[in-house]
Amino acid sequence: MKIDKISEFELIDRIKANTINSEGVIKGIGDDAAVLEATVGTNILFCSDMLIEGRHFLRDVITPRELGYKALAVNLSDIASMGGKPKYALLSTGWPKDLEIVYIQEFYEGVKGIAQQFHVSIVGGDTVNSNDIVIDVAVIGEVEYNKAIMRSGAKPGHVLAATGTLGDSATGLAEITQELKKSPPDHIQEYLRKRHMMPEPRVEAGQLLARLGASSMIDISDGLASEINHICAQSDVSAEVIEEAIPISEEARAFASLNKIDVLELALFGGEDYELLFTVPEERWQAVKEVVGGNLNLNITQIGKIIPKVNDENKVCIINKEGQSRLIKAKGYNHFRS
Ligand code: ADP
Ligand code: MG
């Protein structure tokens, strides 16, 4: 059945089941606004991210369930990078008239799956008609009063580190969208596809890193190069990255070598890994590595260090095996550049 065969109210009724997963919802879907409990002693984190068909995703490549998962995941990642706990989400959606209702149901199954996993409640949204699919998710989170981790706290001498592995998502996208001659074994293809379509927001890691004394943090949505430059600009410092230290998965390496792709370029400039990039004072690094690695089964890797500004500029240099240094500029995706 197509979406134009039922009313907006019927659609919202179908969406409403199993949407409350966190404490503090006094009224969820069904009134003019959601009513939420405010937790004493916290600051509110509030962010949104928009996905437009054809620009951020292709309807015939991503499944509706993956799209629902990812739409919420990218927002949870933003809350994670502040060291916070995501709590509530609003979903404003635009759907084409001729879309099958089952598409929207599966989309919401994806949303609800990750919402349950991270104890986030879907408390409302809006539903409109549009030519292409448009998804705008807004999330509210909480962080202990005055304890949000900003991009601006990095100091010379601090360790620069990242969670997980980088470049998987862009490698996965290349695998899905490019006509590549050589396919790696199925388990590698599946791993890379999942890393692109269903990135796991590092919510527990973000909160743990905040408690353990991270000085700055950002999630890697536009690529490592871009995010390091953001931290340096906002903290007014420079950074030195060791090329060999950048964590790249066996799977991404295998796929890249088979297809003669430069996996380091993808790690630096590819984006959408949704890992966390952070800095921490050197004396805390060992403890951070042990606690995060031990408690979360998540590798964290030092990839470089923060240094004072170079020639009065916030520069990011990467040093290769031969000891040669090159400047890396932010080359992330710019929506307003054609
Ligand atoms: P109003 O006309 O007052 O904006 P709506 O009929 O748009 O109310 O929405 C009714 C309820 O359904 C509200 O609680 C709203 O937040 C919720 N809602 C509408 N669309 C969605 C959606 N796509 N996802 C989740 N909740 C939604
Ligand atoms: Mg409305």
Side-chain angles (χ1 to χ4, degrees):
M1 194 171 33
K2 309 260 193 223
I3 181 179
D4 61 353
K5 294 287 175 288
I6 63 168
S7 73
E8 191 187 326
F9 305 115
E10 280 175 79
L11 183 66
I12 292 167
D13 257 357
R14 292 179 189 215
I15 292 169
K16 205 170 152 183
N18 305 319
T19 47
I20 307 300
N21 302 304
S22 70
E23 286 177 6
V25 181
I26 297 166
K27 180 74 193 178
I29 293 174
D31 214 309
D32 293 312
V35 184
L36 309 170
E37 202 89 59
T39 311
V40 175
T42 65
N43 289 134
I44 290 172
L45 303 171
F46 194 16
C47 63
S48 75
D49 236 316
M50 195 165 186
L51 297 174
I52 294 182
E53 179 179 1
R55 201 163 309 162
H56 304 104
F57 67 92
L58 299 170
R59 207 194 298 184
D60 53 359
V61 171
I62 192 166
T63 68
R65 215 177 286 263
E66 287 169 340
L67 182 62
Y69 175 100
K70 195 166 179 178
L72 188 53
V74 300
N75 280 281
L76 302 191
S77 177
D78 280 326
I79 299 287
S81 73
M82 306 304 290
K85 183 174 156 55
K87 302 264 304 192
Y88 315 112
L90 288 176
L91 274 91
S92 297
T93 55
W95 307 108
K97 272 204 222 29
D98 61 352
L99 197 66
E100 293 289 336
I101 291 167
V102 66
Y103 187 99
I104 301 180
Q105 278 172 334
E106 285 178 10
F107 169 85
Y108 269 94
E109 278 166 27
V111 173
K112 288 175 193 176
I114 183 172
Q116 267 156 14
Q117 189 186 339
F118 289 97
H119 310 290
V120 170
S121 296
I122 316 292
V123 295
D126 203 9
T127 309
V128 299
N129 170 246
S130 115
N131 289 339
D132 297 317
I133 298 175
V134 180
I135 314 288
D136 181 32
V137 180
V139 169
I140 289 179
E142 289 176 347
V143 64
E144 205 182 320
Y145 193 81
N146 267 343
K147 295 281 170 67
I149 310 298
M150 319 270 186
R151 298 174 177 183
S152 50
K155 298 264 181 327
H158 288 188
V159 166
L160 179 66
T163 61
T165 51
L166 305 177
D168 290 338
S169 178
T171 311
L173 183 64
E175 169 192 280
I176 295 157
T177 56
Q178 291 176 15
E179 291 276 322
L180 296 165
K181 290 186 190 68
K182 294 182 180 160
S183 298
D186 283 355
H187 72 277
I188 293 185
Q189 285 190 50
E190 273 157 34
Y191 169 85
L192 294 172
R193 178 188 172 89
K194 190 153 185 241
R195 291 280 287 157
H196 180 73
M197 297 296 189
M198 299 182 76
E200 188 167 333
R202 301 303 186 191
V203 173
E204 290 89 353
Q207 289 175 75
L208 203 49
L209 288 167
R211 275 206 296 280
L212 293 169
S215 50
S216 71
M217 189 147 59
I218 187 169
D219 70 322
I220 303 178
S221 54
D222 293 335
L224 185 60
S226 175
E227 316 306 355
I228 302 178
N229 274 287
H230 284 310
I231 284 188
C232 285
Q234 295 207 26
S235 299
D236 204 20
V237 292
S238 288
E240 229 169 49
V241 178
I242 308 297
E243 189 178 284
E244 274 198 294
I246 295 174
I248 294 172
S249 69
E250 287 305 315
E251 289 86 348
R253 279 187 205 284
F255 180 83
S257 74
L258 208 54
N259 289 287
K260 312 250 177 313
I261 289 175
D262 186 347
V263 70
L264 180 69
E265 283 292 299
L266 293 183
L268 284 172
F269 303 109
E272 292 206 87
D273 282 314
Y274 297 103
E275 296 292 347
L276 296 174
L277 175 74
F278 61 96
T279 59
V280 62
E282 197 159 21
E283 63 275 14
R284 305 236 173 128
W285 168 243
Q286 208 46 43
V288 166
K289 197 170 159 61
E290 281 167 20
V291 174
V292 176
N295 287 16
L296 298 181
N297 191 25
L298 175 67
N299 277 333
I300 58 172
T301 314
Q302 174 168 12
I303 59 169
K305 64 171 194 283
I306 300 297
I307 57 174
K309 276 198 288 186
V310 177
N311 299 335
D312 221 28
E313 280 181 69
N314 309 123
K315 287 185 175 163
V316 179
C317 288
I318 184 161
I319 299 163
N320 70 12
K321 259 199 293 223
E322 287 75 40
Q324 294 155 330
S325 169
R326 72 179 156 117
L327 202 59
I328 46 171
K329 295 232 164 90
K331 244 201 275 171
Y333 191 69
N334 184 330
H335 291 269
F336 297 102
R337 212 186 285 143
S338 54

